């Protein structure tokens, strides 16, 4: 069923430049087993066996490309990487005089442009859910004003939340297994560059160059994004600062993004040095977000029968941990393993402590339970507690601000896009992060869109990596590839 003004067909063409960037070639759309037409709301994607144009015959050694309404073929992975990279390098630049990252309008414009050229299609059921959640969360403003004592209603907060989740109404036109795996390999390669930048951030301090926020000094005040802990020492009074790579809004955002890249590396059998490189980048952030993704993700992989993917990383992982733990960075990270149960710890301030302030206030008024206290009121409530670093988690935020019924729709809006993913372990760990540990902020939710929600629902016949049907051989050693080129 067509869900956009233009239907998309997919064909293949060679691209040497893309191959240099790590966009390895795969088979073409319509390969046996990839039944994209099963997905509700998907565009009509033709099977190559049904194509009559001789020039559209598939080639097994070229990346898949989507044929847009203008007749041009575009690589969906290249388009997605542009979103992924722009979200990294531009997140500290705000809309002029408004402390909202420039990546917010860029993401919306990217979605609309990708839909217009056939890279994306509209997922009807998620569009209906988004519209229902938007309507319900806006309608409750009237009873809040009439019946709730001292409501706090911020229209900008509501607009920002709905805009942040706007991309969930879209899905990739080509969600086939080969294209998805090629995307994961490409995201891993981007993570290597980001990890190198994060390591450089640490090395410059170790050689005697003190940390300086160059981007803050260069940008005019009107372009600063405020309200984030850009960077700070690894411990009180220490001369080494946590790495944000100079370009990320927080070290935790750097850690989160590298954690996503680490998981894509594991799921694509990346070479050991790549996984070690990503791990070293994670260590320099001295933040737990990425390690939480990896920990939950590895547990998920084991539960999903993907343990075979992890075997070759056991020894390098043990060696890396043995080297890192005795260092100052390793000791700080080690102290954070059990910090969730510690009062006023970073993890506690983002997980269970906010509920100690939100729940008593939420149940204090019957009308507040049913219609909430207004968009943005949860932030106002936790700030009024006087506890620095307290952040309203996703579940607490939506129910406190919008009440039971509208809050339930907003929770569904956050959860449904993560259902029927290609890789359940990856989807589950990111969803649990947003629900339990890391309240979704726009710069860290875009990576989740890029590797999970835009690709859901997956074809029913997709076989997960590391399973009997979805297993792929390890890539050949670099010297074999080099000898073949010669």
């Amino acid at each position: 069923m067509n869900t956009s003004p233009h239907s998309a067909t997919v064909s293949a063409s060679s691209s040497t430049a893309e191959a240099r960037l790590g966009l390895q070639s795969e088979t073409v759309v319509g390969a046996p087993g990839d039944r994209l037409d099963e997905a509700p709301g998907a565009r009509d994607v033709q099977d190559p066996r049904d194509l009559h144009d001789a020039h559209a015959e598939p080639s097994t050694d070229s990346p898949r490309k989507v044929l847009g309404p203008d007749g041009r073929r575009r690589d969906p992975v290249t388009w997605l990487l542009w979103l992924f990279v722009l979200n990294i390098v531009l997140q500290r630049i705000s809309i002029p005089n408004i402390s909202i990252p420039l990546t917010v309008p860029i993401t919306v414009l990217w979605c609309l442009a990708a839909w217009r050229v056939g890279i994306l299609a509209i997922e009807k059921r998620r569009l209906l859910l988004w519209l229902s959640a938007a309507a319900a969360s806006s309608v409750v403003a009237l009873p809040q004003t009439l019946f709730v004592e001292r409501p706090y209603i911020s229209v900008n907060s509501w607009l920002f939340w709905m805009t942040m989740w706007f991309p969930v109404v879209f899905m990739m036109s080509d969600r086939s297994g080969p294209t998805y795996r090629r995307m994961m390999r490409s995201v891993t390669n981007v993570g290597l560059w980001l990890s190198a930048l994060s390591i450089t951030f640490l090395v410059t301090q170790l050689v005697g160059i003190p940390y300086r926020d160059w981007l803050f000094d260069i940008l005019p005040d009107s372009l600063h994004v405020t309200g984030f802990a850009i960077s700070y020492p690894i411990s009180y009074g220490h001369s080494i600062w946590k790495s944000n790579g100079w370009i990320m809004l927080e070290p935790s955002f750097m850690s989160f993004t590298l954690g996503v890249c680490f998981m894509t590396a594991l799921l694509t059998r990346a070479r050991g040095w790549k996984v070690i490189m990503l791990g070293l980048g994670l260590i320099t952030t001295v933040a737990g977000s990425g390690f939480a993704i990896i920990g939950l993700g590895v547990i998920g992989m084991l539960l999903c029968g993907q343990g075979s993917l992890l075997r070759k990383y056991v020894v390098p992982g043990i060696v890396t941990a043995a080297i890192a733990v005795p260092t100052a960075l390793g000791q700080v990270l080690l102290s954070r393993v059990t910090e969730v149960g510690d009062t006023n710890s970073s993890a506690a301030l983002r997980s269970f402590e906010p509920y100690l302030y939100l729940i008593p206030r939420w149940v204090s008024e019957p009308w507040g339970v049913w219609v909430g206290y207004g968009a943005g009121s949860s932030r106002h409530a936790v700030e009024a507690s006087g506890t620095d670093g307290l952040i309203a988690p996703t579940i607490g935020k939506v129910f406190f601000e919008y009440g039971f019924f509208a809050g339930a729709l907003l929770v569904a809006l956050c959860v449904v896009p993560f259902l029927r993913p290609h890789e359940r372990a990856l989807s589950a760990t990111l969803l649990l992060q947003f629900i339990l540990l890391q309240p979704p902020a726009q710069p860290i939710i875009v990576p989740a869109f890029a590797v999970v929600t835009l690709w859901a629902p997956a074809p029913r016949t997709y076989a997960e990596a590391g399973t009997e049907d979805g297993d792929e051989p390890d890539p050949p050693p670099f010297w074999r590839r080099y000898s073949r080129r010669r």
Side-chain angles (χ1 to χ4, degrees), residues 85-141:
V85 172
L86 289 175
N87 179 71
I88 292 173
V89 300
L90 297 179
Q91 62 183 250
R92 286 197 59 188
I93 303 176
S94 77
I95 300 173
N97 297 310
I98 304 175
S99 186
I100 295 177
L102 191 61
T103 53
V104 174
I106 286 177
T107 300
V108 173
L109 292 175
W110 180 91
C111 288
L112 296 175
W115 172 68
R116 180 67 180 82
V117 300
I119 297 294
L120 295 182
I122 292 177
E123 214 290 333
K124 286 186 175 180
R125 286 187 281 195
R126 296 205 301 249
L127 173 61
L128 179 61
L129 179 59
W130 186 88
L131 292 173
S132 300
S137 57
S138 61
V139 166
V140 294

Side-chain angles (χ1 to χ4, degrees), residues 308-347:
S308 61
L309 296 175
L310 304 172
R311 291 171 188 159
K312 71 176 184 178
Y313 304 119
V314 173
V315 173
I318 293 175
V319 173
T320 303
I323 295 173
V325 167
T327 66
L329 303 181
Q331 289 298 306
V332 174
L333 283 171
L334 196 61
S335 67
R336 301 196 63 180
V337 173
T338 59
E339 73 168 7
V340 177
D342 297 337
T343 304
N344 290 334
S345 66
S346 177

Side-chain angles (χ1 to χ4, degrees), residues 99-318:
S99 186
I100 295 177
L102 191 61
T103 53
V104 174
I106 286 177
T107 300
V108 173
L109 292 175
W110 180 91
C111 288
L112 296 175
W115 172 68
R116 180 67 180 82
V117 300
I119 297 294
L120 295 182
I122 292 177
E123 214 290 333
K124 286 186 175 180
R125 286 187 281 195
R126 296 205 301 249
L127 173 61
L128 179 61
L129 179 59
W130 186 88
L131 292 173
S132 300
S137 57
S138 61
V139 166
V140 294
L142 179 59
Q144 286 168 356
T145 304
L146 295 176
F147 304 113
V148 175
E149 183 180 356
R150 292 176 289 119
Y152 180 93
I153 302 174
S154 170
V155 176
N156 289 340
S157 177
W158 176 82
L159 285 173
F160 182 77
W161 182 263
M162 298 310 304
T163 302
M164 185 172 66
W165 288 98
F166 175 69
V168 303
V169 309
F170 297 98
M171 61 184 178
M172 301 295 289
S173 295
D174 174 11
R175 302 184 306 285
S176 59
T179 300
Y180 182 77
R181 287 188 286 269
R182 187 162 60 92
M183 175 277 297
M184 288 199 293
R185 287 194 290 268
S186 300
V187 166
T188 300
N189 291 337
V190 173
L192 293 175
W193 288 100
L194 187 61
S195 184
L197 180 63
S198 188
I199 293 171
T200 302
F201 183 97
L202 173 64
V203 171
T204 56
Q205 297 180 74
L206 294 178
V207 299
I209 303 175
Y211 165 71
R212 181 177 176 183
D213 191 351
W214 297 99
L215 197 56
F216 181 88
D217 295 339
I218 294 172
L219 291 176
D221 293 342
S222 61
L223 297 182
H224 288 166
V225 179
T226 59
F228 294 89
I230 303 299
S231 185
Y232 48 95
I234 63 173
S235 60
Y236 182 76
H238 206 285
S239 60
I240 301 297
W241 290 56
K242 298 184 176 185
S243 173
N244 69 338
W246 293 287
I247 61 174
M248 305 287 271
L249 274 170
E250 288 188 1
S252 64
F253 290 4
M254 172 69 84
S255 179
F256 186 98
T257 305
L258 288 176
V260 171
C261 297
F262 195 100
M263 284 298 301
T264 60
L266 296 181
L267 290 167
T268 54
R269 293 182 181 270
R271 291 183 175 82
W273 72 266
K274 292 186 177 182
V275 174
I276 292 174
M277 181 78 169
L278 291 168
L280 293 175
L282 275 162
I283 292 172
T284 64
T285 67
V286 200
S289 301
F291 290 98
I293 289 176
I294 297 169
L296 293 172
V298 167
I299 293 173
M301 291 175 67
L302 293 174
L303 294 176
C304 293
Q306 297 174 300
S308 61
L309 296 175
L310 304 172
R311 291 171 188 159
K312 71 176 184 178
Y313 304 119
V314 173
V315 173
I318 293 175

